[in-house]
Amino acid sequence: MIILFQLIPTFLSFQYKGIINQDLNHIKNELINGSLPQGRLAIKDVENLFDELQNTTNLVHSQQIGESYLNKTLYSYTLCSNFTKDKPMMLITSLHHSREVASLQMNIYLFLYILWEVKHQKNPYYINMITHNCIMIIPFVNIDGYNEIESEFNKHYFQPLTRKNLNRTIICNQLDELAGVDLNRNYGYHFGHDNIGSSNDPCDETYRGSAAFSEKETQAIKYVVENYNIKMAMNLHCFGNLWVIPYSYDNEDLDKDGIPYLIYEDFKQNGQFQGNYKIGHAIELVQYTANGEAADWMLSQGIIAISPELGEQTYTNFFQNFYPDQEQTLKLLNTEFPPLIHFINYLPFQPFIKKLYQYNLDDNEKFNKVLSPNQYIVEILCINHGVSNGSNQYFVVSNTVQLIEAYYIDIKYDQIFNRDQIDTSKLNILQINNNTFSTNKFKPRSQIIYFLIYQESNLGGEVKFYFDLYGENHENTFILKNHQEEQKQLKDIQYHKLYNLLYIGVLIISIITISILFQYFTKKINNKKQQHIIELIEQKPEQIELNVYI
């Protein structure tokens, strides 16, 4: 398959209209058959692709976010419907280090995959995601450095050393490629913490620059974070199959009750990693630190960020690992994709109904509510696995009943709910409209308990409880069937239990009474016999003989 696509003339790359209408294999093969030698993607290839996407769908939007050191425009591309800056977003960057070329291909593939799921597969999960959230990618953080690499490729030099940006105001005695600023050491959280996690030597590969955000490229990322509602981020790098979690500047502990910690721990357990992967902090994975790093700064701004190092170390030549061939790149797109899409899937509001409980008459007393015979209280325990809240979405109760009042309390994501310890004074009221109420109080990565008071309007009908983003026929719909029949059955069960208890009680009392009477009469008979013997003993002998004879 790879060889087949290699035969396609490079000038046709990305000229095919409707890439999203093809299967995923076709899309991946497009990404490893760019117009540069060895099928690398040129900057123009990426620009043409996104021009095509913007002309064929209203879900793709471009933004100018800043400029590079050499005044090239930096673009972000956003995937969502009805784009606004306020929608919760996942930011995915690539090419902080310009020689890590596979990070570019993976970044674009993630974007195309989600668009493909929406447009081609009509996948409701991703349709909901891009309706309420946005995926924003920045393909070329270090666009100047990548432009230099393009020139090297076109000269058929296939392992350029360029890592840093092209701010080469300080000339190095070595190759120009070693000059410049390491953009991934130029961010503002613990910038210049020490000279181990970054360098103050302009000719070192980890030179951090003169000050935090001294570079126009990192200023552009800062602009995005400060002006868009970024909730999560992945800063893609290569290589090592390492999944680096902040903090990287040193051993700083995270709040174990905080959402970032919960997400990172869940990701460690369920990330669907493949191959010889490692996940953790930089010092744990590679025994070195990195200060002024992008994910560290993003986390300090409340963004749940990671820095994956994509791809195994396949080649003995160290630098060749930055430039995997087409076969290795295709393998990388397959093996590193599952953890990345899993991390993206934390972004949207993900509510699920865990448990439903209908209160009986005795339970109702907790709420100090006087209910009519056809009114009920239902408790619904729900959990949100995502990092977005439930704004602009709703919880729905089917119209077989009339929703009268609704309340809620929220608890931690991993907290065990104890019904017997409900403090009803802490219940928060919800505004109801046509048997629905907003879920905007449902916090990210948390649990919420709804307490609903409703009245039956369609006797004997089933009642459905569900979140509107899933619909009433989704598997995440809870159904309560025929309330009055259930109440009648419950009363019958209680009556039979009471009857059985009374029956057993009467039986036990009867047995005890019979036992007592038996003992009484037995004792009386024995006493009478004993008395008779005594009387016989007291008689004269001749009377005894006579009595015996008689």
Side-chain angles (χ1 to χ4, degrees), residues 414-481:
D414 55 357
Q415 183 175 338
I416 297 174
F417 172 61
N418 188 336
R419 184 174 299 111
D420 295 329
Q421 296 179 355
I422 297 174
D423 184 354
T424 56
S425 66
K426 294 184 178 180
L427 294 182
N428 303 284
I429 194 166
L430 291 161
Q431 297 299 316
I432 302 168
N433 184 17
N434 294 327
N435 269 25
T436 68
F437 52 85
S438 172
T439 57
N440 63 349
K441 301 298 183 182
F442 203 161
K443 298 176 182 178
R445 203 72 178 174
S446 69
Q447 296 183 89
I448 197 168
I449 303 102
Y450 293 123
F451 299 92
L452 309 182
I453 300 177
Y454 61 91
Q455 178 172 310
E456 279 193 322
S457 56
N458 182 9
L459 297 180
E462 66 182 19
V463 185
K464 294 184 177 182
F465 306 91
Y466 58 94
F467 292 92
D468 68 330
L469 74 163
Y470 295 129
E472 65 175 326
N473 295 319
H474 191 266
E475 59 184 7
N476 189 30
T477 298
F478 266 56
I479 300 174
L480 199 57
K481 296 181 179 179

Side-chain angles (χ1 to χ4, degrees), residues 97 163-164 181-187 189-202 204-212 248-250 288-293:
H97 300 141
R163 164 187 168 97
K164 301 187 285 184
V181 174
D182 182 345
L183 297 178
N184 202 38
R185 302 295 187 275
N186 191 240
Y187 288 85
Y189 191 69
H190 287 275
F191 173 84
H193 178 73
D194 56 34
N195 290 328
I196 301 172
S198 65
S199 175
N200 60 357
D201 177 2
D204 190 277
E205 281 205 328
T206 62
Y207 175 56
R208 58 183 170 255
S210 58
S248 292
Y249 82 94
D250 207 342
Y288 70 77
T289 58
N291 54 60
E293 196 264 348

Side-chain angles (χ1 to χ4, degrees), residues 241-344:
N241 198 2
L242 305 174
W243 301 81
V244 185
I245 293 172
Y247 288 100
S248 292
Y249 82 94
D250 207 342
N251 288 326
E252 178 178 341
D253 293 331
L254 298 177
D255 176 8
K256 292 187 177 181
D257 289 329
I259 296 173
Y261 179 84
L262 294 174
I263 293 295
Y264 292 144
E265 290 301 304
D266 189 274
F267 187 53
K268 287 178 184 178
Q269 298 298 321
N270 302 304
Q272 303 176 45
F273 306 100
Q274 299 184 28
N276 298 315
Y277 76 92
K278 294 180 181 179
I279 180 168
H281 304 292
I283 191 67
E284 299 169 345
L285 302 184
V286 288
Q287 287 73 56
Y288 70 77
T289 58
N291 54 60
E293 196 264 348
D296 278 14
W297 175 74
M298 290 176 180
L299 182 57
S300 76
Q301 303 300 302
I303 297 168
I304 303 169
I306 60 172
S307 298
E309 296 278 357
L310 304 176
E312 304 277 2
Q313 182 169 345
T314 306
Y315 306 99
T316 55
N317 181 328
F318 178 81
F319 288 102
Q320 191 175 353
N321 289 286
F322 293 118
Y323 302 99
D325 60 24
Q326 288 168 299
E327 183 177 356
Q328 288 299 322
T329 302
L330 191 59
K331 179 181 177 182
L332 181 150
L333 293 177
N334 289 325
T335 59
E336 311 291 77
F337 172 79
L340 295 172
I341 198 66
H342 184 90
F343 193 75
I344 291 172

Side-chain angles (χ1 to χ4, degrees), residues 109-273:
Y109 178 62
L110 289 167
F111 189 98
L112 293 178
Y113 172 83
I114 296 173
L115 181 57
W116 179 81
E117 286 283 358
V118 171
K119 299 289 287 184
H120 190 269
Q121 298 296 97
K122 312 298 182 188
N123 186 322
Y125 180 83
Y126 289 104
I127 290 173
N128 173 68
M129 177 186 286
I130 68 161
T131 300
H132 298 283
N133 307 90
C134 296
I135 306 298
M136 173 186 282
I137 71 168
I138 301 175
F140 303 100
V141 175
N142 187 1
I143 194 169
D144 293 343
Y146 194 78
N147 187 60
E148 182 170 274
I149 282 180
E150 278 194 23
S151 299
E152 296 291 333
F153 281 151
N154 285 323
K155 295 174 185 175
H156 295 280
Y157 177 58
F158 298 138
Q159 292 180 34
L161 300 180
T162 307
R163 164 187 168 97
K164 301 187 285 184
N165 76 351
L166 299 196
N167 181 1
R168 294 170 175 168
T169 52
I170 299 176
I171 298 176
C172 294
N173 294 327
Q174 304 166 352
L175 295 172
D176 283 346
E177 291 172 320
L178 297 178
V181 174
D182 182 345
L183 297 178
N184 202 38
R185 302 295 187 275
N186 191 240
Y187 288 85
Y189 191 69
H190 287 275
F191 173 84
H193 178 73
D194 56 34
N195 290 328
I196 301 172
S198 65
S199 175
N200 60 357
D201 177 2
C203 296
D204 190 277
E205 281 205 328
T206 62
Y207 175 56
R208 58 183 170 255
S210 58
F213 297 108
S214 61
E215 306 309 296
K216 294 168 73 175
E217 294 89 346
T218 54
Q219 291 169 22
I221 304 299
K222 186 172 185 283
Y223 168 82
V224 168
V225 168
E226 292 177 345
N227 289 275
Y228 295 83
N229 187 15
I230 307 298
K231 294 291 186 183
M232 304 184 71
M234 296 192 296
N235 301 301
L236 305 183
H237 294 270
C238 295
F239 58 92
N241 198 2
L242 305 174
W243 301 81
V244 185
I245 293 172
Y247 288 100
S248 292
Y249 82 94
D250 207 342
N251 288 326
E252 178 178 341
D253 293 331
L254 298 177
D255 176 8
K256 292 187 177 181
D257 289 329
I259 296 173
Y261 179 84
L262 294 174
I263 293 295
Y264 292 144
E265 290 301 304
D266 189 274
F267 187 53
K268 287 178 184 178
Q269 298 298 321
N270 302 304
Q272 303 176 45
F273 306 100

Side-chain angles (χ1 to χ4, degrees), residues 483-497:
H483 301 94
Q484 291 205 340
E485 182 61 29
E486 289 183 350
Q487 291 291 319
K488 182 177 179 300
Q489 290 176 359
L490 181 61
K491 289 180 181 178
D492 288 344
I493 291 171
Q494 291 174 339
Y495 170 78
H496 285 299
K497 284 182 178 178

